[in-house]
Amino acid sequence: MKKILPVFLLVAAAAAGGYAWAQQYPLLDMVAGRVVQKYQQSSCQELWVQRSEPKSPREQEVLQMLRNDPAMRTEFINRVAAPIANKMFECGMIP
């Protein structure tokens, strides 16, 4: 539960936005698409299990890029916020 609240707050804080940066971050397009696809195609049980698993080196690298680039992070969150928040709500991960 401790991991879910920060993610929810992050998602909720970034619910507004657009795709103005689409051409500037081609890697972002791929990563955001995969994240949305993962949430849309995974069952609630699979998501609960995945949240407790350690991040791969590639995932850690992408997370570090997002931490280091606020504009890229904002664009990423704008793209994934609604699909993730909807799935988390459906799965009872957020109130």
Side-chain angles (χ1 to χ4, degrees), residues 44-61:
C44 294
Q45 186 176 20
E46 290 170 332
L47 291 174
W48 279 106
V49 170
Q50 290 172 1
R51 295 195 57 76
S52 63
E53 295 174 350
K55 303 285 185 233
S56 72
R58 181 69 175 150
E59 288 174 313
Q60 291 175 9
E61 181 182 329

Side-chain angles (χ1 to χ4, degrees), residues 1 10 22 26 29 34 36-38 46 52 54-55 57 59-60 62 65-66 72 79 81 83-84 91-92:
M1 187 67 170
L10 187 63
D29 291 332
R34 286 186 181 178
V36 169
Q37 183 178 24
K38 174 184 137 185
E46 290 170 332
S52 63
K55 303 285 185 233
E59 288 174 313
Q60 291 175 9
V62 170
M65 282 187 343
L66 293 173
M72 181 185 237
R79 292 182 190 203
I84 289 175
C91 293

Side-chain angles (χ1 to χ4, degrees), residues 19 21-23 25-34 75 79:
Y19 295 95
W21 297 90
Q23 300 301 321
Y25 300 113
L27 177 62
L28 180 75
D29 291 332
M30 181 184 69
V31 172
R34 286 186 181 178
E75 182 59 26
R79 292 182 190 203

